Amino acid sequence: MDELRHPSANITTDSIPKKIPILPIVDTNLFPKMVLPLVLIQKEAIELIDEAMAGNRMLGLLLSKRSDLDSKHRTDDLHRIGTVAMILRMSKMEDEKAQLLIQGLDRFKAVKFLPGKQYMQAEIEVMENRNADRNKENRALMANIVEQYEKIVALSPGLPSEMGHMIKSLQEPNVLADMVASTINAPVMEKQKVIELLDVNLRLKKVTRLVNDQLEILEMGSKIQNQVKEDMDKRQREYYLRHQLKAIREELGETEDERIELREYKALIEEKNLPGESLKEAERELHRLSRMQPSSSEYVVATTYLDWLTSLPWHEKSRDRLDISEARRVLNQDHYGLKNPKKRILEYLAVRKLKKDSKGPILCFSGPPGTGKTSLGRSIAKALGREFVRIALGGVRDEAEIRGHRRTYVGALPGRIIQRLRQAGTNNPVFMLDEIDKVSSSYHGDPSSALLEVLDPEQNFSFTDHYLDVPFDLSDVMFLTTANVLHTIPAPLRDRMEVLELNGYTEDEKLKIATRYLIPRQREANGLLTHQIRFTPGAVKKIISGYTREAGLRNLERKIGAICRGVAAKIAEEEASALVIRQDTIKEYLGPVQNMPDLALRIKSPGVVVGLAWTPFGGEILFVEAVAMRGNKGLTLTGQLGDVMKESASTALSFIRANCEKLKVDETFFENHDIHIHVPEGSIPKDGPSAGVTMLTALVSLICGKRVRPRLAMTGEITLRGEVLPVGGVKEKVIAAHRAGIKNLILPLWNKKDMEDVPAHIKDNMDVFFTDKMEDVLKKALDI
């Protein structure tokens, strides 16, 4: 017992250090001069106690605003005023737990939390009591508290009768208030308010209210017990129990409305015909609900849960309209082009028609923005006759967004999958997961891992949302996903999906789409009638080539909308009754042409070559410029190039120096010159191996003083052995070259198969040269 006589009574305010470790506590309070046992299980808390025991045995206790014991508490979760405590006894148990006995010393305020330890530390300020003298008002409050407290002790079997005598002996107002507040059965947050009150007079008043509330509750319980005893018939126990329950309900103010609500839930559960586990969980929750007080927070949680269970479409389905001809008509009516995606969708419908129980694929529409990925999902739902629901996954970092929150959390809800299914009202909608490539992970979990179960036909028949905690069958849902790029999607998730690429539109396709869809839509959106505005084909082509540079259609629709708004303004002001938009009138609405005409004509000197690049927004042409100056074998690279492009430049230079004779290059050139390679538009980061042949051609063109053939562009990766390796994004690159006026292309031999996806009218207007040798590239481009 020596440790219990630790000289904590001799601790003064001045002897409490300015910096102490902080221990968060949950569901309990410690008051000054009071003793409290604690059991610690967190590793950080045990480490804190070990260091405190090695020092002055002091630590600060702050109440957490959160009630979960296992999670790690942050500084924002803690109240700022608590109690400095002295460790009287500490022992460690076999299961890596620590058992403490601590005594409160003084109130303190955490002024600033300090980093550097696994546990929390803080600079503190000891808080002194105010108005703590025994004036008349304080003595009156103390007398009232003592009187009421003695009644509480008499009505509470858990409090020994000695407590009343001990309270009477206390002469200090602040000690009396703290002792009473620590022993009565009051909410933790109310006790925290007592700790935070430095004015002893206000503290006594607060404790008086708590004591009165506690006494009222105990007296009410005693009244109920007495009423039940008066009506009790010893020979009929069932009769006694019924009257006891009736008395309790009358005191709690329960009405018949709650009983009606329970009957309604029971009828809903029967009507929904819930599957096995869901039915058991619903009945269990209904049984719990019947024993709850309607005014309690748990009652609201239970009713919300039952609302979700009984509103989900467990058996409701849309009947598939498996008419292939009608589906083809709908797809063609809503979308122009997109041959491969439409073909795959019709194949899916055909299989469903022949095999009703087939598990559909998870289709992923990949392509630049504005190519119609989301709207294609709506057309699929329309063709199938199903409901369409969509969730945007861009920026989602919390796994609970997919799987839901567990019901232990305040404000818990199911995940977005279950929420949208309730919104759809059927369990087989077309479900689009938009921007799946932009899902990220954080300390809240990895949403992409949760999506693995959702998008796997072998697992999603028993998808379990954390909130529902019962399986829900997702096997009848047709999941579609969209992505701008594929490389940011985790490999296991990408393996669940069948990728359909929407690579963008050619100028001719954009012209037809604008005429059929965009112009009528913008005309209607801006309140114009058909006869009030008309676009000539030449005007639409001018908008496409002069004001937009994109694979999709969004910017094109914005430009058309801007012209429609300009025309609407003129008609509203009665300047005109109808207008025809021609090439020469576009400038009035959209300003000067924004895109440089015929970029291929910029090649006017040796050392300048046009390359081809792929971006998430489609293909682009890329200029590579090289220049030489007096120096000694130096190589400078600019234009915000990535490591791979820099390596391609070094590889090209090494190949040229190793094959000077074969390439007819002067070997002494490198001895007296520095070379500078620049890729314009330096504010845009660039990387990738496909510019290898472009850099090689630019260097040889510079050294030999030969200009590259006009209207020529190229792409391909190079090696030190003189080979040209295949690259990706060929269709997008070829379309970009065609848009820029390129007539001749040099492509890797292994990419010849990719030209099948290029529209025929583009291939017919281009001379494409395929090769796997770097020497052939130079011969074709420079006639070497």
Side-chain angles (χ1 to χ4, degrees), residues 688-693 715-719 721 723-730 733 746-754 770-773:
S690 62
V693 294
T715 185
E717 183 179 358
I718 61 174
T719 69
R721 295 171 295 152
E723 296 181 350
V724 178
L725 302 181
V727 293
V730 170
K733 293 175 180 178
I746 299 178
L747 299 178
L749 181 63
W750 283 96
N751 286 121
K752 192 171 185 177
K753 64 182 185 305
D754 297 316
F770 297 97
T771 181
D772 58 355
K773 300 295 181 185

Side-chain angles (χ1 to χ4, degrees), residues 341-374:
K342 290 179 181 177
K343 177 175 175 289
R344 183 64 187 88
I345 293 163
L346 293 174
E347 290 173 353
Y348 166 80
L349 297 180
V351 171
R352 290 285 301 204
K353 185 173 184 178
L354 298 177
K355 185 174 174 56
K356 305 292 185 183
D357 60 346
S358 66
K359 295 180 179 179
I362 310 300
L363 301 180
C364 176
F365 299 131
S366 170
T371 50
K373 301 184 292 296
T374 304

